[in-house]
Amino acid sequence: MSIIFYHLFLLLYKLGIRLIAPWNRKAKLWLEGRQGLFDRIRAEMATAADKSGPVVWMHCSSLGEFEQGRPVLEELRRQAPGCRIVLSFFSPSGYTTRKDYKGADHIFYLPLDSPGNARAFIDLVKPDLVLWVKYDYWYYFLVELKKRNIPLLLISGIFREDQPFFKWYGRLHRYMLECFTHLFVQTEASKQLLQRLRLTTPVTVSGDTRFDRVIEIAAGGEREPLSLIAAFCGQQQVIVAGSTWEEDEEELDHYANTHPDIRFIVAPHEISEARLQEVERLFRHSMRYSVLEKQGAGVLARPPAAGRGAWPQPNVLIIDNIGMLSRLYRYATITYVGGGFGDDGVHNVLEAAVYGKPVVFGPVIEKYIEAVELTESGGGLIIDSALEAEKVFNRLLQNPQECQETGLASSQYVHSKKGATGRIIRYIQENRLLTN
């Protein structure tokens, strides 16, 4: 890609956002969040101008990348409590969910890439160290950091042969990689791909920091009990389905609708009103978590409606908020992770696997090494139809020993991969990157 085509891409991106904003909530938030952005950054950074600690800037595309980078950020805070942390997001789903995160001193949207925006943002933030999580490469921001010799680390990078870096038209993308001081990648395969490019940037296989994050959550860093969830589950067997799309729900609804004795917790990936209504149409005996919150656990104890064919209390709880999912898997007998029936592939299987539960998902997993490895370890189970889902659920629920052994394989896989955070922190310490 030439710089001319990159500018054309940026122009079309901005125009596209403006065109769809009246009908698309995310696009509207993207635009609104950037109105007056530089004035806000200037005001916030000015109030902290007298603080002398180093400034660490971490950029994340969205919420998933934040959770990936979070262990490094929080360990840096412990190692250097005087540092100031600036967190930026490109996507509204990340910013709106974590705008009140207490672990950062300042949280901003990243301005759309341009030479002027990159210079202005970096002039105001004045970072001493920059952490870029996984991807979201923006040419002018990366080039400006390189010009100023500001240490720039890629965290938990993952590379595949079909990416632009490895294509004949990927010269601009390859140059962006040269802007980094060090590339920390998840796998040996990623390192080998990068070696083909003959980069001058050093590459280290550090592993994936998400393993450290999910282990921290499961170990009790966020162990606040969810009393309403526990009340809904009762003593029943529970299937927790997280990050689901309509394609996933269509594979699960028949089983839920025909097994009133099993509790289902469904956390859709998108929680717009339209999506929630879709989920309610598919799962006929359901209630929303917000309704349970409003009415209290007592609603679960009410007797069922009388009459022939009467169904007991709702057996499906629809989660209509963001932020609970990583703790919901704790209550599962079996977990299901969505996305595996869509083109983009399965979502984060580690959040479920860390609790030592079987993890079921659809067949589109080839882009996600952790899902492939989890399957190979015996902790992950692939289904390709509603009939297959029914067979897998019945087999695990009717055979507690197999269910336990599959869950143990999941937990062992996750714990075998921990340590990426420590490797990155050691590099920062050894190279004295947290000094002004």
Side-chain angles (χ1 to χ4, degrees):
M1 178 189 291
S2 71
I3 198 67
I4 295 173
F5 282 111
Y6 184 70
H7 276 277
L8 180 60
F9 160 75
L10 292 174
L11 176 63
L12 292 175
Y13 189 95
K14 189 173 182 178
L15 287 174
I17 287 284
R18 292 184 181 280
L19 284 173
I20 67 172
W23 303 277
N24 185 288
R25 180 176 177 272
K26 275 192 174 182
K28 183 180 179 182
L29 288 172
W30 192 96
L31 286 175
E32 290 177 347
R34 286 167 171 80
Q35 291 175 2
L37 177 59
F38 281 108
D39 289 337
R40 183 186 157 212
I41 296 172
R42 186 176 294 107
E44 281 202 29
M45 299 309 294
T47 61
D50 58 337
K51 296 183 180 179
S52 58
V55 176
V56 178
W57 167 28
M58 187 175 84
H59 174 65
C60 311
S61 174
S62 190
L63 183 60
E65 291 69 47
F66 166 74
E67 292 297 330
Q68 202 156 23
R70 182 173 177 172
V72 176
L73 205 63
E74 294 182 350
E75 185 58 31
L76 284 176
R77 175 72 88 187
R78 284 189 283 268
Q79 298 279 344
C83 71
R84 283 191 292 141
I85 292 176
V86 176
L87 178 61
S88 67
F89 289 98
F90 189 77
S91 164
S93 60
Y95 178 83
T96 55
T97 306
R98 291 298 181 219
K99 63 183 178 181
D100 298 319
Y101 168 61
K102 302 303 182 184
D105 299 282
H106 311 282
I107 303 175
F108 305 124
Y109 273 108
L110 187 75
L112 186 63
D113 198 21
S114 75
N117 283 351
R119 285 194 299 269
F121 186 90
I122 295 168
D123 282 343
L124 292 170
V125 172
K126 296 181 174 61
D128 297 287
L129 171 64
V130 181
L131 310 174
W132 217 262
V133 184
K134 194 176 180 179
Y135 52 61
D136 208 37
Y137 305 99
W138 296 105
Y139 177 81
Y140 287 110
F141 279 95
L142 300 178
V143 168
E144 191 64 28
L145 291 167
K146 181 178 176 66
K147 284 181 183 177
R148 302 186 190 206
N149 293 315
I150 298 172
L152 171 62
L153 310 182
L154 179 68
I155 293 176
S156 294
I158 188 78
F159 294 91
R160 302 183 309 276
E161 199 156 3
D162 60 353
Q163 292 173 315
F165 308 103
F166 311 104
K167 304 296 185 181
W168 63 267
Y169 54 81
R171 183 178 177 184
L172 192 75
H173 288 81
R174 290 190 286 272
Y175 184 73
M176 284 192 266
L177 295 180
E178 293 279 8
C179 294
F180 285 87
T181 308
H182 204 106
L183 301 170
F184 289 96
V185 298
Q186 296 182 29
T187 64
E188 183 64 33
S190 289
K191 182 177 181 178
Q192 290 176 5
L193 277 173
L194 292 172
Q195 286 174 337
R196 284 170 32 187
L197 302 180
R198 301 183 182 277
L199 300 174
T200 60
T201 307
V203 181
T204 296
V205 180
S206 62
D208 188 346
T209 52
R210 283 183 303 169
F211 288 92
D212 300 321
R213 174 61 182 153
V214 297
I215 289 170
E216 179 185 25
I217 293 172
E222 298 180 11
R223 192 176 284 172
E224 176 185 340
L226 301 172
S227 57
L228 289 176
I229 297 296
F232 173 77
C233 296
Q235 301 301 311
Q236 306 299 109
Q237 293 175 312
V238 180
I239 296 175
V240 175
S243 299
T244 60
W245 297 90
E246 186 174 3
E247 298 94 331
D248 300 291
E249 293 142 12
E250 288 172 348
E251 307 300 333
L252 303 175
D253 64 334
H254 176 74
Y255 194 80
N257 291 336
T258 55
H259 289 77
D261 55 326
I262 296 173
R263 296 291 179 264
F264 273 75
I265 299 175
V266 180
H269 185 71
E270 297 282 354
I271 56 168
S272 67
E273 182 60 27
R275 275 293 292 126
L276 292 171
Q277 289 181 13
E278 284 178 359
V279 179
E280 288 173 324
R281 282 195 293 271
L282 288 169
F283 296 94
R284 296 196 298 268
H285 309 287
S286 63
M287 71 184 305
R288 298 189 188 188
Y289 181 78
S290 59
V291 174
L292 180 58
E293 267 190 316
K294 184 177 180 180
Q295 297 187 6
V299 69
L300 300 172
R302 293 175 188 169
R308 184 178 179 181
W311 185 273
Q313 288 298 327
N315 72 322
V316 178
L317 185 64
I318 301 169
I319 305 300
D320 52 355
N321 63 60
I322 298 292
M324 289 179 64
L325 179 58
S326 61
R327 292 183 289 162
L328 293 176
Y329 290 124
R330 183 189 302 276
Y331 297 89
T333 310
I334 300 171
T335 67
Y336 177 91
V337 177
F341 285 94
D343 294 338
D344 292 335
V346 70
H347 289 288
N348 187 355
V349 299
L350 304 181
E351 290 181 331
V354 71
Y355 288 108
K357 308 296 173 70
V359 187
V360 182
F361 38 81
V364 184
I365 66 170
E366 61 274 6
K367 292 182 181 179
Y368 302 93
I369 185 64
E370 67 277 7
V372 174
E373 291 180 344
L374 182 63
T375 304
E376 292 170 349
S377 77
L381 300 166
I382 299 173
I383 60 168
D384 56 15
S385 67
L387 182 61
E388 185 69 18
E390 184 169 3
K391 289 179 180 177
V392 168
F393 291 155
N394 283 338
R395 190 177 79 237
L396 291 173
L397 294 176
Q398 294 166 14
N399 296 277
Q401 184 174 350
E402 181 183 354
C403 190
Q404 183 178 14
E405 289 173 354
T406 306
L408 181 60
S410 290
S411 177
Q412 289 176 337
Y413 167 70
V414 174
H415 283 83
S416 74
K417 296 287 185 175
K418 67 181 180 181
T421 300
R423 297 180 189 104
I424 295 167
I425 294 295
R426 280 194 296 274
Y427 173 88
I428 293 171
Q429 291 173 331
E430 290 169 0
N431 290 274
R432 300 180 62 81
L433 299 184
L434 270 184
T435 58
N436 288 89

